[in-house]
Amino acid sequence: MAAKRQTRAPVFAALGDETRLALVAKLCGGRPCSISQLTRGSKLTRQAITKHLRVLESAGVVHSIRMGRESRFEFDPQPLEGIRKYLDFVSEQWDQALSRLTSFVED
Amino acid sequence: MAAKRQTRAPVFAALGDETRLALVAKLCGGRPCSISQLTRGSKLTRQAITKHLRVLESAGVVHSIRMGRESRFEFDPQPLEGIRKYLDFVSEQWDQALSRLTSFVED
DNA sequence: CTAATATGCAACCTGGAGGTTGCTTAAGAT
DNA sequence: ATCTTAAGCAACCTCCAGGTTGCATATTAG
């Protein structure tokens, strides 16, 4: 549990940027995209986008496959499920705290 | 939707740090804590913890109430629900993409 | 073969994140 | 009244995230 927590912060951090959220939103549509494709429509440089993609890749949110002269990036859902579990945990803790408070007041 | 997306990245970013994840884990237990209480058990300075708390507060994950000479921090669940919605959206997009791929292969 | 496209690599810049120390002020405790 | 504990404020430091430009390399198109 503590070990798992150490692996969640980087995933959250990877999503803590508007540009990267936009990339994830595009890639979770299913069709793998090259760097150039992902750069079109953004005001940033190709290298900036590349760096963002590497951050997402390090967090495991995305992976790349070299296809000829282009490298295609594809979405990877596992890490997102991981942090969803964490949110579930927090939510549950909170709900239990609220119930305890309620039953205490009712005494 | 685009407006809402602009407000999610800061929440993800606020959770993108081990120290802050630990603070959230403590506070979601229900009982509000003072800065000194939250500092005990951490290897960091009180000021460092304070800064982290302010980050969480700016993201809306937490709020503080001044009680006498101490300021108590309490968990706030709404922003977390917000990013959970985002994860649901991404997940759904991905699942739909998988179904489309499957039905295409089956043709 | 040559031109164009897609990417990689490296240097460089700037700002802010994360952390510390030192000092001040407010509020309880004795 | 005094001591102690809680917190705020500000200056300062270091390091890395995010972005750019410039150049080199691989692959596809004509």
Side-chain angles (χ1 to χ4, degrees), chain A residues 5-13 15-18 20-22 24-25 27-31 74-77 80-81 83-84 86-91 93-95 97 100, chain B residues 5-13 15-18 20-22 24-25 27-31 74-77 80-81 83-84 86-91 93-95 97 100:
Chain A
R5 193 179 309 148
Q6 270 206 349
T7 189
R8 285 185 282 236
V11 180
F12 279 118
L15 299 179
D17 179 283
E18 297 296 341
R20 288 193 295 263
L21 276 187
V24 168
L27 287 175
C28 76
R31 141 183 112 277
E74 189 167 3
F75 178 66
D76 215 328
L80 286 266
E81 290 306 315
I83 66 176
R84 189 209 298 272
Y86 178 79
L87 294 180
D88 288 344
F89 164 75
V90 169
S91 224
Q93 291 284 109
W94 181 249
D95 288 346
R100 277 196 300 274
Chain B
R5 191 179 308 146
Q6 270 206 347
T7 188
R8 284 183 283 236
V11 180
F12 278 119
L15 299 178
D17 179 282
E18 296 298 341
R20 288 193 297 263
L21 275 187
V24 169
L27 288 175
C28 76
R31 144 182 108 279
E74 189 167 2
F75 178 66
D76 215 327
L80 287 264
E81 289 306 315
I83 66 176
R84 191 211 298 273
Y86 178 79
L87 294 180
D88 288 344
F89 164 74
V90 169
S91 224
Q93 292 284 109
W94 181 248
D95 288 346
R100 279 196 299 274

Side-chain angles (χ1 to χ4, degrees), chain A residues 26-72:
Chain A
K26 236 173 245 177
L27 287 175
C28 76
R31 141 183 112 277
C33 294
S34 74
I35 296 177
S36 293
Q37 283 170 359
L38 292 168
T39 301
R40 302 186 188 284
S42 164
K43 288 163 186 167
L44 298 181
T45 318
R46 170 179 59 88
Q47 286 84 347
I49 298 292
T50 302
K51 284 194 181 180
H52 283 297
L53 287 169
R54 297 301 171 200
V55 172
L56 289 171
E57 191 174 29
S58 297
V61 178
V62 122
H63 65 275
S64 67
I65 319 161
R66 191 72 191 239
M67 292 268 300
R69 69 174 156 180
E70 61 188 14
S71 79
R72 299 236 175 111

Side-chain angles (χ1 to χ4, degrees), chain B residues 36-53:
Chain B
S36 293
Q37 283 172 0
L38 292 168
T39 301
R40 303 185 187 283
S42 164
K43 289 164 187 167
L44 298 182
T45 317
R46 171 179 58 88
Q47 287 81 348
I49 299 292
T50 302
K51 285 193 180 181
H52 282 298
L53 287 169

